[in-house]
Amino acid sequence: MRCVLEVLNVVMRFSTWGFTTYRWIRKREEFLLFLSLALWIDSLAALAQKPILENLGLNPEAKVLVPLLSLLAVVEGILLLATSLCLHERLRSTSGQILIILTAVSGSAYVLLATLFGTPPCS
């Protein structure tokens, strides 16, 4: 039963990404591009769930997946922040761009340092 829910979760995430991408293609609204990319990253992260990987015949170690999933979360967060700034018409302002840069630099540096120093993932 749990595996069915995990598969349904992945299908729904890819469906949401597909609908958002379709709407972006139809409307050409800038914020939908960022949202579509964020949902794509989220869909990829959903594929890295243990039950999904086991059904695909893959068994990667958790210590390998943690940095990857952390970096995907940082990228997704940056894209969602860009979506929000775009909706509030602040993406083109200097402060909005500095916020994106600070988020990208601090998030990726945190993932790198946590990986290098072997910090265990938060549970």
Side-chain angles (χ1 to χ4, degrees), residues 39-61:
L39 291 173
W40 171 251
I41 298 295
D42 187 59
S43 299
L44 291 179
L47 287 176
Q49 297 175 26
K50 186 172 178 125
I52 300 296
L53 290 174
E54 287 176 350
N55 283 338
L56 294 173
L58 302 170
N59 290 316
E61 295 181 32

Side-chain angles (χ1 to χ4, degrees), residues 1-13 45-53 55:
M1 178 65 175
R2 178 183 160 104
C3 184
V4 172
L5 292 176
E6 297 294 338
V7 170
L8 183 62
N9 181 20
V10 171
V11 168
M12 291 306 297
R13 287 183 189 203
L47 287 176
Q49 297 175 26
K50 186 172 178 125
I52 300 296
L53 290 174
N55 283 338

Side-chain angles (χ1 to χ4, degrees), residues 110 120-123:
Y110 175 77
C122 298
S123 354

Side-chain angles (χ1 to χ4, degrees), residues 41-114:
I41 298 295
D42 187 59
S43 299
L44 291 179
L47 287 176
Q49 297 175 26
K50 186 172 178 125
I52 300 296
L53 290 174
E54 287 176 350
N55 283 338
L56 294 173
L58 302 170
N59 290 316
E61 295 181 32
K63 67 180 181 180
V64 174
L65 286 178
V66 170
L68 172 66
L69 291 174
S70 299
L71 197 54
L72 286 175
V74 168
V75 172
E76 184 180 355
I78 293 166
L79 290 168
L80 289 173
L81 180 61
T83 301
S84 175
L85 290 172
C86 187
L87 281 171
H88 292 288
E89 298 177 358
R90 294 185 179 161
L91 185 61
R92 297 204 168 132
S93 70
T94 303
S95 62
Q97 293 170 3
I98 289 173
L99 184 60
I100 293 285
I101 289 172
L102 288 175
T103 305
V105 169
S106 61
S108 58
Y110 175 77
V111 171
L112 176 67
L113 291 174

